[in-house]
Amino acid sequence: MGRLSKVFDKAKAESLPEPEITKARSNEFVNLNFKVTPEMRRKLKQYAAKHDLSLKDVFEAALDFYIEHHP
């Protein structure tokens, strides 16, 4: 079980309210900065390049998939 799953499970157990998620218009973006291991960065970049996607596209798809499968 990954760390993110533990965070979601803890929030669910504590009955924390879910944040309201609104989709930004396509021209409205904000920076999101966090650190990953060199191996994770390499995996992300390789996957994105192989599928002709941006890192942002891969991150958004992964997050959407995770949220959909871990309500």
Coordinates of all heavy atoms in Angstrom, one line a residue:
M1 N 0.8 -1.2 0.0 CA 0.0 0.0 0.0 C 0.9 1.2 0.0 O 1.8 1.4 0.8 CB -0.9 0.0 1.2 CG -1.8 1.2 1.3 SD -2.8 1.2 2.8 CE -3.8 -0.2 2.6
G2 N 0.6 2.2 -0.9 CA 1.5 3.4 -1.0 C 1.1 4.4 0.0 O 0.1 4.3 0.7
R3 N 2.0 5.4 0.1 CA 1.7 6.5 1.1 C 0.5 7.2 0.8 O -0.2 7.6 1.7 CB 2.9 7.4 1.1 CG 4.1 6.8 1.8 CD 5.3 7.7 1.8 NE 5.7 8.0 0.4 CZ 6.7 8.8 0.1 NH1 7.3 9.5 1.0 NH2 7.0 8.9 -1.2
L4 N 0.2 7.5 -0.5 CA -1.0 8.3 -0.8 C -2.3 7.5 -0.4 O -3.2 8.1 0.1 CB -1.0 8.5 -2.4 CG -2.1 9.5 -2.9 CD1 -2.0 10.8 -2.1 CD2 -2.0 9.7 -4.3
S5 N -2.3 6.2 -0.6 CA -3.4 5.4 -0.2 C -3.6 5.5 1.3 O -4.8 5.6 1.8 CB -3.2 4.0 -0.6 OG -4.3 3.2 -0.2
K6 N -2.6 5.5 2.1 CA -2.7 5.7 3.5 C -3.3 7.0 3.9 O -4.1 7.1 4.8 CB -1.3 5.5 4.2 CG -0.8 4.1 4.1 CD 0.6 4.0 4.7 CE 1.2 2.6 4.5 NZ 2.6 2.6 5.0
V7 N -2.9 8.1 3.2 CA -3.5 9.4 3.4 C -5.0 9.4 3.1 O -5.8 9.9 3.9 CB -2.8 10.5 2.6 CG1 -3.5 11.8 2.6 CG2 -1.3 10.6 3.0
F8 N -5.4 8.8 2.0 CA -6.8 8.8 1.7 C -7.6 7.9 2.7 O -8.7 8.3 3.1 CB -7.0 8.2 0.3 CG -6.8 9.2 -0.8 CD1 -5.6 9.3 -1.5 CD2 -7.9 10.0 -1.2 CE1 -5.4 10.3 -2.5 CE2 -7.7 10.9 -2.2 CZ -6.5 11.1 -2.9
D9 N -7.0 6.8 3.1 CA -7.7 5.9 4.1 C -7.8 6.6 5.4 O -8.9 6.5 6.1 CB -6.9 4.6 4.3 CG -7.0 3.7 3.1 OD1 -7.9 3.9 2.2 OD2 -6.1 2.8 3.0
K10 N -6.8 7.4 5.8 CA -6.9 8.1 7.1 C -8.0 9.2 7.0 O -8.8 9.3 8.0 CB -5.5 8.8 7.4 CG -5.5 9.5 8.7 CD -4.2 10.1 9.0 CE -4.2 10.9 10.3 NZ -3.0 11.6 10.6
A11 N -8.0 9.9 5.9 CA -9.0 10.9 5.8 C -10.4 10.3 5.8 O -11.4 10.9 6.4 CB -8.8 11.7 4.5
K12 N -10.6 9.2 5.2 CA -11.9 8.5 5.1 C -12.3 8.1 6.6 O -13.4 8.2 7.0 CB -11.9 7.3 4.2 CG -13.2 6.7 4.0 CD -13.2 5.5 3.1 CE -13.0 5.9 1.7 NZ -13.1 4.8 0.7
A13 N -11.3 7.5 7.3 CA -11.6 7.0 8.6 C -11.9 8.1 9.6 O -12.7 8.0 10.5 CB -10.3 6.3 9.2
E14 N -11.3 9.3 9.4 CA -11.6 10.5 10.2 C -12.8 11.3 9.8 O -13.1 12.3 10.3 CB -10.4 11.4 10.3 CG -9.2 10.7 11.0 CD -7.9 11.5 10.9 OE1 -8.0 12.7 10.4 OE2 -6.9 11.1 11.5
S15 N -13.5 10.8 8.7 CA -14.7 11.4 8.2 C -14.4 12.9 7.8 O -15.2 13.8 8.1 CB -15.8 11.3 9.1 OG -16.2 9.9 9.3
L16 N -13.3 13.2 7.2 CA -13.0 14.5 6.8 C -13.8 14.8 5.6 O -14.0 14.0 4.7 CB -11.5 14.7 6.5 CG -10.5 14.4 7.6 CD1 -9.1 14.5 7.1 CD2 -10.8 15.4 8.7
P17 N -14.3 16.1 5.5 CA -15.1 16.4 4.3 C -14.2 16.4 3.0 O -13.0 16.7 3.1 CB -15.6 17.8 4.6 CG -14.6 18.4 5.5 CD -14.1 17.2 6.3
E18 N -14.8 15.9 1.9 CA -14.1 15.9 0.7 C -13.9 17.3 0.1 O -14.9 18.1 0.2 CB -14.8 15.0 -0.4 CG -14.8 13.6 0.0 CD -15.3 12.7 -1.1 OE1 -15.2 13.2 -2.3 OE2 -15.7 11.6 -0.9
P19 N -12.8 17.7 -0.4 CA -12.6 19.0 -0.9 C -13.5 19.2 -2.2 O -13.7 18.2 -2.9 CB -11.1 19.1 -1.3 CG -10.7 17.7 -1.5 CD -11.6 16.9 -0.6
E20 N -14.0 20.4 -2.4 CA -14.7 20.7 -3.6 C -13.7 20.9 -4.7 O -12.8 21.6 -4.6 CB -15.5 22.0 -3.4 CG -16.4 22.3 -4.6 CD -17.2 23.6 -4.4 OE1 -17.6 23.9 -3.3 OE2 -17.4 24.3 -5.4
I21 N -13.9 20.1 -5.8 CA -13.0 20.1 -6.9 C -13.7 20.8 -8.1 O -14.7 20.4 -8.5 CB -12.5 18.7 -7.3 CG1 -11.8 18.1 -6.1 CG2 -11.6 18.8 -8.5 CD1 -11.4 16.6 -6.4
T22 N -13.0 21.9 -8.6 CA -13.6 22.5 -9.8 C -12.5 22.5 -10.8 O -11.3 22.5 -10.5 CB -14.0 24.0 -9.5 OG1 -12.8 24.7 -9.0 CG2 -15.1 24.1 -8.4
K23 N -12.9 22.3 -12.1 CA -12.0 22.3 -13.2 C -11.6 23.7 -13.6 O -12.5 24.5 -13.9 CB -12.6 21.5 -14.3 CG -11.6 21.2 -15.4 CD -12.1 20.2 -16.4 CE -11.0 19.9 -17.4 NZ -11.3 18.7 -18.1
A24 N -10.4 24.0 -13.7 CA -9.9 25.3 -14.2 C -10.1 25.3 -15.7 O -10.1 24.3 -16.4 CB -8.4 25.5 -13.9
R25 N -10.4 26.5 -16.2 CA -10.5 26.7 -17.6 C -9.1 26.3 -18.2 O -8.1 26.4 -17.5 CB -10.8 28.2 -17.9 CG -12.2 28.5 -17.6 CD -12.6 29.9 -18.1 NE -11.7 30.9 -17.6 CZ -12.1 32.0 -17.0 NH1 -13.3 32.2 -16.8 NH2 -11.2 32.9 -16.6
S26 N -9.1 26.0 -19.5 CA -7.9 25.4 -20.1 C -6.7 26.4 -20.1 O -5.6 26.0 -20.2 CB -8.2 25.0 -21.5 OG -8.6 26.1 -22.3
N27 N -7.0 27.7 -19.9 CA -5.9 28.6 -19.9 C -5.5 29.1 -18.5 O -4.7 29.9 -18.3 CB -6.2 29.8 -20.8 CG -7.4 30.6 -20.3 OD1 -8.1 30.2 -19.4 ND2 -7.6 31.8 -20.8
E28 N -6.1 28.5 -17.5 CA -5.8 28.8 -16.1 C -5.1 27.7 -15.4 O -5.6 26.6 -15.2 CB -7.1 29.1 -15.3 CG -7.8 30.4 -15.7 CD -9.0 30.6 -14.8 OE1 -9.1 30.0 -13.8 OE2 -9.7 31.5 -15.2
F29 N -3.8 27.8 -15.1 CA -3.0 26.8 -14.5 C -2.2 27.5 -13.4 O -1.9 28.7 -13.4 CB -2.0 26.2 -15.5 CG -2.7 25.4 -16.6 CD1 -2.9 25.9 -17.8 CD2 -3.3 24.1 -16.3 CE1 -3.5 25.2 -18.8 CE2 -3.9 23.4 -17.3 CZ -4.0 24.0 -18.6
V30 N -1.9 26.7 -12.3 CA -1.0 27.1 -11.3 C 0.1 26.1 -11.1 O 0.0 25.0 -11.6 CB -1.8 27.2 -9.9 CG1 -2.9 28.3 -10.0 CG2 -2.4 25.9 -9.5
N31 N 1.2 26.6 -10.6 CA 2.4 25.7 -10.4 C 2.1 24.7 -9.2 O 1.4 25.1 -8.2 CB 3.6 26.5 -10.1 CG 4.1 27.3 -11.3 OD1 4.0 26.8 -12.4 ND2 4.7 28.4 -11.0
L32 N 2.6 23.5 -9.4 CA 2.5 22.5 -8.4 C 3.9 22.0 -8.2 O 4.4 21.3 -9.1 CB 1.5 21.4 -8.8 CG 1.4 20.2 -7.8 CD1 0.8 20.7 -6.5 CD2 0.5 19.2 -8.5
N33 N 4.5 22.2 -7.1 CA 5.9 21.8 -6.9 C 6.0 20.8 -5.8 O 5.6 21.0 -4.7 CB 6.7 23.0 -6.5 CG 6.7 24.1 -7.6 OD1 7.0 23.7 -8.8 ND2 6.4 25.3 -7.3
F34 N 6.7 19.7 -6.1 CA 7.0 18.6 -5.1 C 8.1 17.8 -5.7 O 8.5 17.9 -6.9 CB 5.8 17.7 -4.8 CG 5.1 17.1 -6.0 CD1 5.6 15.9 -6.5 CD2 4.1 17.8 -6.7 CE1 5.0 15.3 -7.6 CE2 3.5 17.2 -7.8 CZ 3.9 15.9 -8.2
K35 N 8.8 17.1 -4.8 CA 10.0 16.3 -5.2 C 9.6 14.9 -5.3 O 8.8 14.4 -4.6 CB 11.1 16.5 -4.1 CG 11.6 17.9 -4.1 CD 12.7 18.0 -3.1 CE 13.1 19.5 -3.1 NZ 14.5 19.7 -3.2
V36 N 10.3 14.3 -6.3 CA 10.2 12.8 -6.5 C 11.6 12.3 -6.7 O 12.5 13.0 -6.9 CB 9.4 12.5 -7.8 CG1 7.9 12.9 -7.7 CG2 10.0 13.1 -9.0
T37 N 11.7 11.0 -6.5 CA 13.0 10.3 -6.7 C 13.5 10.4 -8.1 O 12.6 10.6 -9.1 CB 13.0 8.9 -6.3 OG1 12.1 8.2 -7.2 CG2 12.5 8.7 -4.8
P38 N 14.7 10.4 -8.4 CA 15.2 10.4 -9.8 C 14.6 9.3 -10.6 O 14.3 9.5 -11.8 CB 16.7 10.2 -9.6 CG 17.1 10.8 -8.3 CD 15.9 10.4 -7.4
E39 N 14.4 8.1 -10.0 CA 13.8 7.0 -10.7 C 12.4 7.3 -11.1 O 12.0 7.0 -12.2 CB 13.8 5.7 -9.8 CG 13.3 4.5 -10.5 CD 13.3 3.2 -9.7 OE1 14.1 3.2 -8.7 OE2 12.5 2.3 -10.0
M40 N 11.6 7.9 -10.2 CA 10.2 8.2 -10.5 C 10.2 9.3 -11.6 O 9.4 9.2 -12.6 CB 9.5 8.8 -9.3 CG 8.0 9.2 -9.6 SD 7.0 7.9 -10.2 CE 6.9 6.8 -8.7
R41 N 11.1 10.2 -11.6 CA 11.1 11.3 -12.6 C 11.4 10.6 -14.0 O 10.8 10.9 -15.0 CB 12.2 12.3 -12.3 CG 12.3 13.4 -13.3 CD 13.3 14.5 -12.9 NE 13.4 15.5 -13.8 CZ 14.4 15.7 -14.7 NH1 15.4 14.8 -14.7 NH2 14.4 16.7 -15.5
R42 N 12.4 9.7 -14.0 CA 12.8 9.0 -15.2 C 11.6 8.2 -15.8 O 11.3 8.2 -16.9 CB 14.0 8.1 -14.9 CG 14.6 7.5 -16.1 CD 16.0 6.8 -15.8 NE 16.1 6.2 -14.5 CZ 16.8 6.8 -13.5 NH1 17.4 7.9 -13.6 NH2 16.9 6.2 -12.3
K43 N 10.8 7.5 -14.9 CA 9.7 6.7 -15.3 C 8.6 7.6 -15.9 O 8.0 7.3 -16.9 CB 9.0 6.0 -14.1 CG 9.8 4.8 -13.6 CD 9.0 4.2 -12.5 CE 9.7 3.0 -11.8 NZ 9.0 2.5 -10.7
L44 N 8.3 8.7 -15.3 CA 7.3 9.7 -15.8 C 7.7 10.2 -17.1 O 6.9 10.2 -18.1 CB 7.1 10.8 -14.8 CG 6.3 10.6 -13.6 CD1 6.5 11.7 -12.6 CD2 4.8 10.4 -14.0
K45 N 9.0 10.6 -17.3 CA 9.5 11.2 -18.5 C 9.5 10.1 -19.6 O 9.1 10.4 -20.8 CB 10.8 11.8 -18.3 CG 10.8 13.1 -17.5 CD 12.1 13.7 -17.4 CE 12.3 14.6 -18.7 NZ 13.2 15.6 -18.6
Q46 N 9.9 8.9 -19.3 CA 9.9 7.9 -20.3 C 8.5 7.5 -20.8 O 8.2 7.4 -22.0 CB 10.6 6.6 -19.8 CG 12.1 6.7 -19.7 CD 12.7 5.5 -19.0 OE1 12.1 4.7 -18.4 NE2 14.1 5.4 -19.2
Y47 N 7.6 7.4 -19.8 CA 6.2 7.1 -20.2 C 5.6 8.2 -21.0 O 4.9 7.9 -22.1 CB 5.3 6.9 -18.9 CG 3.9 6.4 -19.3 CD1 3.6 5.1 -19.4 CD2 2.9 7.3 -19.5 CE1 2.4 4.6 -19.7 CE2 1.6 6.9 -19.8 CZ 1.4 5.6 -19.9 OH 0.1 5.2 -20.3
A48 N 5.8 9.4 -20.6 CA 5.2 10.6 -21.3 C 5.8 10.6 -22.8 O 5.1 10.8 -23.7 CB 5.6 11.9 -20.6
A49 N 7.1 10.4 -22.9 CA 7.7 10.5 -24.2 C 7.2 9.3 -25.1 O 6.9 9.5 -26.3 CB 9.2 10.4 -24.1
K50 N 7.1 8.1 -24.5 CA 6.7 7.0 -25.3 C 5.2 7.2 -25.8 O 4.9 6.7 -26.9 CB 6.7 5.7 -24.4 CG 6.3 4.5 -25.1 CD 6.4 3.3 -24.2 CE 6.0 2.0 -24.8 NZ 6.1 0.9 -23.9
H51 N 4.4 7.9 -25.1 CA 3.0 8.0 -25.4 C 2.7 9.4 -26.0 O 1.5 9.8 -26.1 CB 2.1 7.7 -24.2 CG 2.2 6.3 -23.8 ND1 1.6 5.2 -24.4 CD2 3.0 5.7 -22.8 CE1 1.9 4.1 -23.9 NE2 2.8 4.3 -22.9
D52 N 3.7 10.2 -26.2 CA 3.6 11.6 -26.8 C 2.7 12.4 -25.9 O 1.7 13.0 -26.4 CB 3.1 11.5 -28.2 CG 3.3 12.9 -28.9 OD1 4.2 13.6 -28.5 OD2 2.5 13.2 -29.8
L53 N 2.9 12.4 -24.6 CA 2.1 13.2 -23.6 C 3.0 14.1 -22.8 O 4.2 13.9 -22.8 CB 1.5 12.2 -22.6 CG 0.5 11.2 -23.2 CD1 0.1 10.2 -22.1 CD2 -0.8 11.9 -23.7
S54 N 2.4 15.1 -22.2 CA 3.2 16.0 -21.3 C 3.2 15.3 -20.0 O 2.4 14.5 -19.6 CB 2.6 17.4 -21.3 OG 1.3 17.3 -20.6
L55 N 4.2 15.8 -19.1 CA 4.2 15.3 -17.7 C 2.9 15.6 -17.0 O 2.4 14.9 -16.2 CB 5.4 15.8 -17.0 CG 6.7 15.4 -17.5 CD1 7.8 16.1 -16.7 CD2 6.9 13.9 -17.4
K56 N 2.3 16.8 -17.3 CA 1.1 17.2 -16.7 C 0.0 16.3 -17.1 O -0.9 15.9 -16.3 CB 0.7 18.7 -17.2 CG -0.6 19.2 -16.6 CD -0.8 20.6 -17.1 CE -1.6 20.7 -18.3 NZ -2.9 19.9 -18.5
D57 N -0.1 15.9 -18.4 CA -1.1 14.9 -18.8 C -1.0 13.6 -18.1 O -2.0 13.0 -17.7 CB -1.0 14.7 -20.4 CG -1.3 15.9 -21.2 OD1 -2.1 16.8 -20.7 OD2 -0.9 16.0 -22.3
V58 N 0.2 13.1 -17.9 CA 0.4 11.8 -17.2 C 0.0 12.0 -15.8 O -0.7 11.1 -15.3 CB 1.9 11.4 -17.3 CG1 2.1 10.1 -16.5 CG2 2.3 11.1 -18.8
F59 N 0.4 13.0 -15.1 CA 0.0 13.2 -13.7 C -1.5 13.3 -13.6 O -2.1 12.7 -12.7 CB 0.7 14.5 -13.2 CG 0.3 14.8 -11.8 CD1 0.9 14.1 -10.7 CD2 -0.7 15.8 -11.5 CE1 0.5 14.4 -9.4 CE2 -1.0 16.0 -10.2 CZ -0.5 15.4 -9.2
E60 N -2.2 14.1 -14.4 CA -3.6 14.3 -14.3 C -4.3 12.9 -14.5 O -5.3 12.6 -13.8 CB -4.1 15.3 -15.3 CG -3.8 16.7 -15.0 CD -4.2 17.7 -16.0 OE1 -4.7 17.3 -17.1 OE2 -4.2 18.9 -15.7
A61 N -3.9 12.2 -15.5 CA -4.5 10.9 -15.8 C -4.3 9.9 -14.6 O -5.2 9.2 -14.2 CB -4.0 10.3 -17.1
A62 N -3.1 9.9 -14.1 CA -2.8 9.0 -12.9 C -3.7 9.4 -11.7 O -4.2 8.5 -11.0 CB -1.3 9.1 -12.6
L63 N -3.8 10.7 -11.5 CA -4.5 11.2 -10.3 C -6.0 10.9 -10.5 O -6.7 10.4 -9.6 CB -4.3 12.6 -10.1 CG -5.1 13.2 -8.9 CD1 -4.7 12.5 -7.6 CD2 -4.8 14.7 -8.8
D64 N -6.5 11.1 -11.7 CA -7.9 10.8 -12.0 C -8.2 9.3 -11.8 O -9.2 8.9 -11.2 CB -8.3 11.2 -13.4 CG -8.4 12.7 -13.6 OD1 -8.5 13.5 -12.6 OD2 -8.4 13.2 -14.8
F65 N -7.3 8.5 -12.3 CA -7.5 7.0 -12.2 C -7.5 6.6 -10.7 O -8.3 5.8 -10.3 CB -6.3 6.3 -12.9 CG -6.4 4.8 -12.8 CD1 -7.2 4.1 -13.7 CD2 -5.7 4.1 -11.9 CE1 -7.3 2.7 -13.6 CE2 -5.8 2.7 -11.8 CZ -6.6 2.0 -12.7
Y66 N -6.5 7.2 -10.0 CA -6.4 6.8 -8.5 C -7.7 7.2 -7.8 O -8.3 6.4 -7.0 CB -5.2 7.5 -7.9 CG -5.0 7.0 -6.5 CD1 -4.2 5.9 -6.2 CD2 -5.6 7.6 -5.4 CE1 -4.1 5.4 -4.9 CE2 -5.4 7.2 -4.1 CZ -4.7 6.1 -3.9 OH -4.5 5.6 -2.6
I67 N -8.2 8.4 -8.0 CA -9.4 8.9 -7.3 C -10.6 8.1 -7.7 O -11.4 7.7 -6.9 CB -9.6 10.4 -7.6 CG1 -8.5 11.2 -6.9 CG2 -11.0 10.8 -7.2 CD1 -8.5 12.7 -7.3
E68 N -10.7 7.7 -9.0 CA -11.8 6.9 -9.4 C -11.8 5.5 -8.8 O -12.9 5.0 -8.5 CB -11.7 6.8 -11.0 CG -12.9 6.0 -11.5 CD -12.8 5.9 -13.1 OE1 -12.3 6.8 -13.7 OE2 -13.2 4.8 -13.6
H69 N -10.7 5.0 -8.6 CA -10.6 3.6 -8.0 C -10.4 3.5 -6.5 O -10.3 2.5 -5.9 CB -9.5 2.8 -8.7 CG -9.8 2.6 -10.2 ND1 -9.6 3.5 -11.2 CD2 -10.5 1.5 -10.7 CE1 -10.0 3.0 -12.3 NE2 -10.6 1.8 -12.1
H70 N -10.3 4.7 -5.9 CA -10.1 4.7 -4.4 C -11.0 5.8 -3.8 O -10.5 6.8 -3.3 CB -8.6 5.0 -4.0 CG -7.7 3.9 -4.5 ND1 -7.1 3.9 -5.7 CD2 -7.3 2.8 -3.8 CE1 -6.4 2.8 -5.8 NE2 -6.5 2.2 -4.7
P71 N -12.3 5.7 -4.0 CA -13.3 6.7 -3.5 C -13.2 6.9 -2.0 O -12.8 6.2 -1.2 CB -14.6 6.2 -3.9 CG -14.5 4.8 -4.3 CD -13.0 4.5 -4.5

